[in-house]
Amino acid sequence: MSKIGKIRMRSLLVLPVIAAAALGAMTLTASSVKASGGEAHIEEMDWSFNGPFGTFDRDQLRRGYKVYKEVCSACHSMEYMHFRNLAEKGGPEFTEGQVKTIASEYTVEDGPDQAGDSFERPGEGKDRFPSPYPNEEAAAASLGAAPPDLSVIAKAREGGPDYIHALLIGYEEAPEGVSVPAGGYYNPVFTAGSGVIAMPPPLVEGQVDYEDGTPNTVEQMSEDVSAFLMWTAEPKMEQRKRLGFQVLLYLIALSGLLYFAKRKVWSDVH
Amino acid sequence: MSGESTYNPGNGFTRWLDARLPVMRLVHDSFVDYPTPKNLNYWWTFGGILSLCLGIQIITGIILAMHYVPSTDLAFASVEHIMRDVNFGWLIRYTHANGASMFFIAVYIHMFRGLYYGSYKAPREVLWILGVLIYLLMMATAFFGYVLPWGQMSFWGATVITNLFGAIPVVGESVRTWLWGGFSVGDPTLNRFFSLHYLFPFLIAGVVVLHVWALHVTGQNNPSGVEVKDPKKDTVPFTPYATIKDGFGMSVFLILFAYFVFFNPNGLGEPDNYILANPLKTPPHIVPEWYLLPFYAILRAVPDKLGGVLAMFGAIAVLFVLPWLDTSKVRSARFRPLYRQFFWIHVVVCIVLGWCGAQSPDKILIHVGEGGFDVTDLSRILAIYYFLHFLVIFPVLGLKEKTKALPDSIADSVLGKSAAKA
């Protein structure tokens, strides 16, 4: 190979190396930021949606929805989610009929009607999940701080679903020397509050009746609702990965063709 | 360097148009017949890649603006609306958000390429200055854009950056109030940032036109740093040679781009920005996006607020006068053995400064007794080196360095090397 050819090859090789190094540096930065956050252990779970081909487990999302509805929704809103989303592809994929039933169990405020009055009616697919509190102040009054909205929570916390899962099972007896104020609970995963959280331990063994016979342990319920919240945060994830795979295949093929076309075009130079 | 135009209108219409508005001739002379040095390597494809990035940002941005609402009450919800209910809204937003990062990866490679091969030196000073201006506009645009989703980092990032202007003596407070349109970051701030975020990319596009114009007056630099002597021997026409090579470079770059958009769309962002802005709750760490981190580290390295602001802007301002700080007659680092080493040291310094910018400033790196050597100490040393590199090493090195012999011409350098092989 000519020297110029070698140099050219080298630059070709250097490019991805530099890119990889830069990305590595960024990831390092991100993980060291994470590490400085706190000492609590957050286990990396083997989610069905991990990896480039991972998809949501429909049954798990349905169970997770049940946990959200029966436990979380008492205090946590999910304001960017509509009932209709539950029937959409890539999610729990409830049937239209099931969604109608689910929605109709909620009461939503509507209006004004022709007389100018607000009125209440059963929920429909087009409605958003109603908030458990009439306003932010009422929400804040309940536990001292407004319980966060859960629509995008899995993207709003370092560690995502791993964090939510670890938090839900992370309640412990406070170690000696740590004083937990009245109305607080000790949970070392909750580093934002230095290990003290206002949310009472939400899950107890056997709390939610699973219709598919899955054992309703705290561990299982916690995993299911974490997976569900990952879906609410990223409802188009499956479509994204599927399209991404096609786009990458296309680009790799295109790059190959362009590379050989380039070699052909340049073959008469030098 | 463009000689006589070789454009030859092929039919009646193009002949008619050419006599009235020779736009086809301009395109032909600039992107078809334009002579490019035959020894350009793949680092030279980033100009084309950057144009592609600008195009992608403008197109996705215009579509996002159709659905986005610049109001503190609705901005966050409108972004979620885009992600959930707009057809392929998630794709457009993730492309736009990651596109900003890709744009900066490309611009940093492009700038460091210019630094390595001395592309800023005479007669390309104006070309370089226009480039720095584009970079400055890019940073402003990215900053405005980051505020728009109205998450926690949007709000607090905007608060920190606008507060910097408060450090200006005498008029600082008034300037800050004027920027805010009130007494804190709020609705008027979000609205004007949206307006400016929409405006600036078109300013960038305008300066890009000047940048390309300046490029086409002086001609491209090349890895040997030797000027084109005989266009017949030293250059090849832009089309098909550079077009196909740039096309290949763009396609490979898009693979990296697509990886982030489709498989790691939030990997370069901050989780805190998925929390609705709350003026009453300061996040534990306020950090800018990765591409601004080195400057953030320089800002924090200076103990005095005004000093920090001046150092931060100075770090960019020094690039404007670079062509006159470098005293070396030789352009390419290939023939400057010492400069080549300093170049790589400077690259590492910039990356480590970026790392420092992401850390908590009082994080201790080497423990000594009670305290130790912390991130701020490291940032200080690196920030001082950053300025030394340009203000001292550049002028001194040019006078002292013993450079290697330059090839007589581009063709000679290419042929000489080919001959060695045969």
Side-chain angles (χ1 to χ4, degrees):
Chain A
M1 194 186 279
S2 67
K3 197 159 176 209
I4 189 84
K6 259 187 212 150
I7 287 167
R8 188 162 293 136
M9 265 328 278
R10 215 171 52 204
S11 351
L12 247 179
L13 291 174
V14 161
L15 200 67
V17 170
I18 296 268
L23 294 176
M26 281 178 232
T27 326
L28 259 177
T29 316
S31 55
S32 33
V33 168
K34 221 181 292 174
S36 66
E39 291 80 49
H41 178 66
I42 293 174
E43 192 189 347
E44 282 188 26
M45 304 292 292
D46 185 22
W47 302 107
S48 67
F49 48 82
N50 279 353
F53 300 104
T55 53
F56 291 114
D57 173 347
R58 313 275 162 242
D59 292 327
Q60 183 171 48
L61 293 189
R62 288 175 202 178
R63 292 195 301 273
Y65 169 67
K66 201 152 192 266
V67 178
Y68 168 75
K69 196 196 162 195
E70 293 181 15
V71 184
C72 319
S73 71
C75 302
H76 290 278
S77 60
M78 197 163 66
E79 62 174 321
Y80 303 119
M81 293 293 294
H82 296 81
F83 291 114
R84 62 177 158 79
N85 296 135
L86 292 172
E88 278 165 11
K89 266 200 150 115
E93 298 186 0
F94 285 109
T95 63
E96 298 286 340
Q98 284 170 317
V99 169
K100 251 184 199 163
T101 317
I102 288 170
S104 66
E105 287 166 5
Y106 284 83
T107 307
V108 298
E109 213 180 89
D110 202 347
D113 60 14
Q114 283 181 333
D117 301 319
S118 300
F119 59 93
E120 290 189 334
R121 60 164 173 81
E124 291 170 37
K126 65 176 184 190
D127 295 318
R128 290 165 183 270
F129 278 83
S131 167
Y133 298 103
N135 51 54
E136 225 174 284
E137 284 69 19
S142 70
L143 290 169
D149 182 81
L150 295 186
S151 317
V152 284
I153 198 88
K155 289 198 287 193
R157 295 291 182 275
E158 198 72 65
D162 291 326
Y163 169 83
I164 298 168
H165 171 62
L167 182 81
L168 291 176
I169 61 167
Y171 289 85
E172 286 172 11
E173 283 288 317
E176 270 186 58
V178 175
S179 71
V180 177
Y185 301 86
Y186 183 71
N187 189 334
V189 178
F190 192 64
T191 48
S194 310
V196 177
I197 188 167
M199 174 169 75
L203 299 170
V204 290
E205 293 286 316
Q207 189 173 5
V208 177
D209 277 325
Y210 281 154
E211 282 145 24
D212 61 0
T214 309
N216 45 6
T217 58
V218 168
E219 169 68 30
Q220 185 66 43
M221 290 184 287
S222 162
E223 281 180 29
D224 291 347
V225 80
S226 303
F228 174 73
L229 292 176
M230 186 67 235
W231 169 71
T232 63
E234 197 64 9
K236 311 288 180 179
M237 186 206 73
E238 292 188 10
Q239 187 191 14
R240 164 162 64 77
K241 287 180 182 174
R242 210 165 41 240
L243 183 61
F245 181 66
Q246 294 163 358
V247 168
L248 277 188
L249 273 188
Y250 173 83
L251 284 175
I252 289 167
L254 178 69
S255 300
L257 289 176
L258 285 170
Y259 177 68
F260 288 110
K262 185 255 158 194
R263 282 191 44 150
K264 178 99 176 63
V265 167
W266 280 77
S267 59
D268 62 345
V269 184
H270 313 311
Chain B
M1 75 180 286
S2 347
E4 290 287 292
S5 174
T6 60
Y7 178 63
N8 189 13
N11 59 45
F13 172 70
T14 46
R15 268 193 298 278
W16 177 85
L17 184 65
D18 194 51
R20 286 153 181 83
L21 180 72
V23 62
M24 302 287 281
R25 182 179 297 277
L26 180 72
V27 170
H28 178 88
D29 293 346
S30 306
F31 301 107
V32 179
D33 191 43
Y34 175 67
T36 61
K38 64 205 293 190
N39 59 340
L40 297 185
N41 57 32
Y42 275 100
W43 300 111
W44 261 266
T45 59
F46 281 88
I49 288 171
L50 283 161
S51 322
L52 177 70
C53 286
L54 180 61
I56 290 175
Q57 290 307 86
I58 288 180
I59 292 168
T60 52
I62 287 173
I63 300 170
L64 287 173
M66 294 173 187
H67 302 281
Y68 170 78
V69 184
S71 129
T72 53
D73 288 335
L74 297 169
F76 192 89
S78 72
V79 171
E80 280 309 312
H81 163 70
I82 290 169
M83 294 297 287
R84 290 159 195 276
D85 297 326
V86 174
N87 288 330
F88 289 96
W90 60 269
L91 174 62
I92 294 160
R93 185 172 94 90
Y94 277 156
T95 303
H96 195 76
N98 286 286
S101 283
M102 295 302 125
F103 208 157
F104 276 95
I105 288 179
V107 88
Y108 282 129
I109 293 176
H110 191 66
M111 290 169 77
F112 277 118
R113 191 272 288 149
L115 287 172
Y116 187 85
Y117 292 109
S119 303
Y120 49 87
K121 292 189 207 190
R124 297 184 181 81
E125 304 96 319
V126 172
L127 174 60
W128 169 262
I129 289 169
L130 289 168
V132 179
L133 194 60
I134 293 170
Y135 172 55
L136 202 57
L137 288 169
M138 274 175 66
M139 288 198 284
T141 311
F143 164 66
F144 293 137
Y146 196 59
V147 177
L148 304 185
W150 207 243
Q152 274 288 69
M153 275 308 161
S154 301
F155 178 85
W156 290 99
T159 302
V160 168
I161 301 294
T162 47
N163 264 319
L164 296 180
F165 291 90
I168 303 169
V170 190
V171 292
E173 298 273 316
S174 318
V175 168
R176 193 178 54 183
T177 308
W178 178 72
L179 286 173
W180 283 339
F183 297 100
S184 66
V185 174
D187 232 354
T189 327
L190 181 60
N191 265 287
R192 62 191 54 189
F193 279 16
F194 177 58
S195 169
L196 294 173
H197 184 67
Y198 205 113
L199 169 70
F200 273 39
F202 296 98
L203 296 184
I204 292 177
V207 185
V208 166
V209 170
L210 297 180
H211 189 67
V212 173
W213 185 8
L215 174 76
H216 285 219
V217 171
T218 62
Q220 281 156 298
N221 185 28
N222 66 82
S224 76
V226 178
E227 288 294 326
V228 170
K229 298 215 167 97
D230 178 356
K232 278 209 181 66
K233 282 187 194 155
D234 293 344
T235 68
V236 288
F238 192 89
T239 300
Y241 295 94
T243 16
I244 191 77
K245 198 168 176 175
D246 280 359
F248 173 59
M250 286 179 199
S251 185
V252 172
F253 186 78
L254 284 176
I255 293 176
L256 178 76
F257 199 144
Y259 159 72
F260 275 104
V261 169
F262 293 104
F263 296 105
N264 195 6
N266 297 303
L268 298 169
E270 278 291 319
D272 268 17
N273 227 25
Y274 279 107
I275 304 171
L276 179 63
N278 182 351
L280 301 175
K281 206 173 157 196
T282 319
H285 301 290
I286 302 174
V287 281
E289 292 272 81
W290 68 267
Y291 39 79
L292 302 176
L293 287 173
F295 301 105
Y296 191 54
I298 292 175
L299 168 77
R300 293 195 308 189
V302 182
D304 174 64
K305 190 176 172 189
L306 178 61
V309 174
L310 290 176
M312 183 177 77
F313 285 109
I316 300 160
V318 70
L319 298 174
F320 282 102
V321 291
L322 202 60
W324 296 277
L325 290 172
D326 189 344
T327 50
S328 176
K329 296 270 183 292
V330 175
R331 288 201 189 94
S332 173
R334 271 194 191 170
F335 307 102
R336 300 185 60 191
L338 273 178
Y339 172 65
R340 193 157 60 200
Q341 292 173 28
F342 282 110
F343 169 82
W344 285 111
I345 293 171
H346 182 239
V347 171
V348 172
V349 164
C350 291
I351 291 173
V352 180
L353 266 176
W355 178 83
C356 288
Q359 306 304 310
S360 168
D362 46 10
K363 179 178 171 178
I364 292 175
L365 301 169
I366 304 165
H367 288 269
V368 183
E370 287 290 288
F373 184 77
D374 64 17
V375 167
T376 306
D377 296 325
L378 180 62
S379 309
R380 279 182 190 153
I381 293 170
L382 296 175
I384 290 168
Y385 182 85
Y386 179 95
F387 285 103
L388 281 182
H389 178 79
F390 291 121
L391 298 175
V392 177
I393 296 173
F394 256 53
V396 173
L397 205 59
L399 301 173
K400 301 275 177 200
E401 186 178 30
K402 234 180 105 90
T403 54
K404 292 191 200 164
L406 293 176
D408 281 343
S409 73
I410 294 171
D412 269 9
S413 86
V414 174
L415 285 176
K417 281 161 185 167
S418 299
K421 163 210 152 197

